[in-house]
Amino acid sequence: MTISGEQGSPAGEAVRVQQPSRMTLPDFLQSVNLKYVKLGYHYLISNLLTFCFVPLIIVTLIHFSQTDIDDLHHMWIHLQYNMITILSCFAFIVFGLTLFILARPRPVYLVDFACYRPGDRFKAPFHRFMEHSRLTGDFDESSLEFQRKILLRSGLGEETYVPEAMLYIPPRSSMATARAEAEEVMFGALDSLFQNTNLKPKDIGILVVNCSLFNPTPSLSAMIVNKYKLRGNIKSFNLGGMGCSAGVIAIDLAKDLLQVHRNTYAVVVSTENITQNWYFGNKKSMLIPNCLFRVGCSAVLLSNKSADRRRAKYRLVHVVRTNRAADDKAFRCVYQEQDDAGKTGVSLSKDLMAIAGSALKTNITTLGPLVLPISEQLLFFATFVTRKLFKADVKPYIPDFKLAFDHFCIHAGGRAVIDELEKNLQLLPVHVEASRMTLHRFGNTSSSSIWYELAYIEAKGRMRRGNKLWQIAFGSGFKCNSAVWEALHNVKASPNGPWQDCIDKYPVEIPT
């Protein structure tokens, strides 16, 4: 989702914000819908067998640890005359253990990830961006001034990157140059991933690629298979049209596949293509992507091999997805179409902010019972029941998500969305630092932005064993998706990371 000081329009998602009266996300924590609370507790109850059976085993082991030799001797004499009891207990234990093992989901580990960083010649400082836009001859003076104001208010810095095709006058927006951009960013991220993990490409059993607005034939996943000569029975998937939330969707798909296919690796590649999606018209609501969206790509290596736990960085804990496409307004709030001059862009509904807030409220209401401490859940639930059932005039209790998570990766779609989530979730500046600095250094890289943010946290040396991480992203449709990870040890930044030679300069002060 992209949010700007004035108007928005995404290649992933964009949000229109009127000036001078600044539109904000609804205060979604002030109200919740009972059905979503029930959905969250459904997830909790679905794992009830694990929660009940494990403590039972622990209590039994503690009891036996406190028995002496005489107790065991008397027990043996007693059991000699109760063979039916012995067999029944044995059958119950075997059945319980079998059920537990079969019902338990396979752990999914994040071995490592890599983010693509272009060369310096692809940088787009503001003056260069504006001069280039003027020289194309496609924009009138009003549109040029509008883009200049958006850049100044966007939260972007002077070192973001554009694709090579945009460096020419006129820009070379062809299928060939779009393919060249896709190959450059995807292969660049994958080369770094393979180098850092010593993974042989033929060891990959699952490949998931997501790119919202560029889906050629053969597909992007086929391009990767061809480049690295992946094996013939690889399970490959290509996700399109899902905007900035597709990265979490791709992780969820890979997770489900890893539950079925034993002892294998899955690679998830998340990117967006700018070359063929630059808007060359003068409709202001479609100009925002030109100002905010920049080149980026991530490649993530997942594994379900128990042997990889020692070297893996994280374990996937939860994925919660919210899809509002059944609602007509939500479905059409971000809609790709042509303007009056026949130039393609993305139109935005005036209801977009309200729909985004509603999707976010639904998502965190479902996620809450899975991650919040029991104390927070009890306070929240008690307040909710008091207000809903007894109609009492009680101030809503806002759960403290800082008690559940140590780090937050909020999709760097725009400055305003980060501001609003910081306020509504009552976060501290350090919790949104990774999102703000990623927006400043790399711009809105769509679905890969949450991985640039995680790379920032690692580069700062802040990720400790047992820390919980919350990644949250938004997408057209309208969708809001969350992924929760747990660090398996103190995590260090991988070599050749996107922040490798500039992390010491951050955080920087961003002008208001």
Side-chain angles (χ1 to χ4, degrees), residues 354-365:
I355 292 167
S358 177
L360 183 56
K361 179 185 71 175
T362 302
N363 190 267
I364 66 172
T365 304

Side-chain angles (χ1 to χ4, degrees), residues 319-379:
V319 175
V320 174
R321 292 167 55 182
T322 300
N323 193 326
R324 305 300 302 274
D327 180 80
D328 291 341
K329 288 185 178 180
F331 175 73
R332 296 187 64 89
C333 69
V334 178
Y335 207 75
Q336 188 178 26
E337 60 184 2
Q338 293 180 323
D339 64 12
D340 294 338
K343 297 182 178 180
T344 302
V346 179
S347 63
L348 305 172
S349 166
K350 63 180 181 180
D351 301 317
L352 183 55
M353 285 297 287
I355 292 167
S358 177
L360 183 56
K361 179 185 71 175
T362 302
N363 190 267
I364 66 172
T365 304
T366 304
L367 181 67
L370 299 175
V371 298
L372 287 170
I374 190 64
S375 59
E376 288 294 296
Q377 294 190 45
L378 290 175
L379 286 170

Side-chain angles (χ1 to χ4, degrees), residues 73-356:
H73 179 69
H74 288 302
M75 185 183 298
W76 171 250
I77 294 175
H78 175 73
L79 291 177
Q80 281 181 321
Y81 300 100
N82 293 274
M83 190 58 64
I84 295 178
T85 303
I86 295 175
L87 293 176
S88 298
C89 291
F90 181 75
F92 174 77
I93 292 172
V94 171
F95 175 77
L97 288 174
T98 303
L99 190 62
F100 172 75
I101 293 172
L102 294 177
R104 184 185 61 177
R106 303 177 191 278
V108 174
Y109 302 114
L110 192 161
V111 179
D112 205 349
F113 68 96
C115 296
Y116 172 73
R117 177 172 162 177
D120 288 346
R121 73 188 187 94
F122 299 108
K123 287 183 178 179
F126 291 174
H127 72 276
R128 183 180 183 183
F129 177 92
M130 290 306 304
E131 181 63 19
H132 181 93
S133 296
R134 187 181 302 277
L135 291 175
T136 61
D138 293 300
F139 308 107
D140 57 31
E141 287 301 319
S142 175
S143 296
L144 289 170
E145 178 61 18
F146 177 79
Q147 292 181 79
R148 186 188 69 81
K149 290 180 178 179
I150 292 298
L151 284 173
L152 294 177
R153 299 168 181 169
S154 64
L156 273 69
E158 297 278 355
E159 296 186 296
T160 60
Y161 304 95
V162 295
E164 183 176 10
M166 295 297 104
L167 301 178
Y168 295 94
I169 303 294
R172 299 178 179 178
S173 300
S174 65
M175 176 62 75
T177 54
R179 282 184 182 274
E181 179 193 347
E183 291 174 352
E184 174 70 20
V185 299
M186 293 192 305
F187 299 163
L190 285 167
D191 287 345
S192 294
L193 182 68
F194 294 151
Q195 180 180 350
N196 293 341
T197 60
N198 295 318
L199 179 71
K200 298 178 181 178
K202 286 192 177 294
D203 290 336
I204 300 171
I206 299 166
L207 173 65
V208 183
V209 180
N210 69 268
C211 182
S212 186
L213 293 176
F214 181 62
N215 294 284
T217 299
S219 66
L220 299 180
S221 59
M223 291 165 60
I224 294 174
V225 172
N226 177 261
K227 165 68 175 180
Y228 296 99
K229 309 305 177 187
L230 304 185
R231 62 199 201 195
N233 65 344
I234 190 169
K235 307 296 185 294
S236 64
F237 301 84
N238 208 93
L239 306 181
M242 292 184 168
C244 301
S245 70
V248 177
I249 296 173
I251 291 291
D252 191 36
L253 174 58
K255 177 205 71 173
D256 290 343
L257 292 167
L258 287 171
Q259 299 303 310
V260 177
H261 302 280
R262 295 175 177 269
N263 297 317
T264 191
Y265 290 108
V267 170
V268 175
V269 179
S270 299
T271 188
E272 189 53 86
N273 193 282
I274 295 177
T275 297
Q276 281 198 319
N277 295 289
W278 202 268
Y279 176 64
F280 294 101
N282 289 292
K283 189 174 181 180
K284 291 183 173 58
S285 62
M286 295 182 178
L287 285 169
I288 294 296
N290 296 8
C291 301
L292 295 186
F293 281 85
R294 297 293 185 263
V295 170
C297 181
S298 63
V300 181
L301 176 62
L302 303 176
S303 172
N304 59 8
K305 298 183 179 183
S306 57
D308 282 322
R309 191 184 192 283
R310 295 184 61 183
R311 69 165 179 156
K313 290 184 173 182
Y314 307 96
R315 177 179 65 89
L316 182 59
V317 182
H318 300 294
V319 175
V320 174
R321 292 167 55 182
T322 300
N323 193 326
R324 305 300 302 274
D327 180 80
D328 291 341
K329 288 185 178 180
F331 175 73
R332 296 187 64 89
C333 69
V334 178
Y335 207 75
Q336 188 178 26
E337 60 184 2
Q338 293 180 323
D339 64 12
D340 294 338
K343 297 182 178 180
T344 302
V346 179
S347 63
L348 305 172
S349 166
K350 63 180 181 180
D351 301 317
L352 183 55
M353 285 297 287
I355 292 167

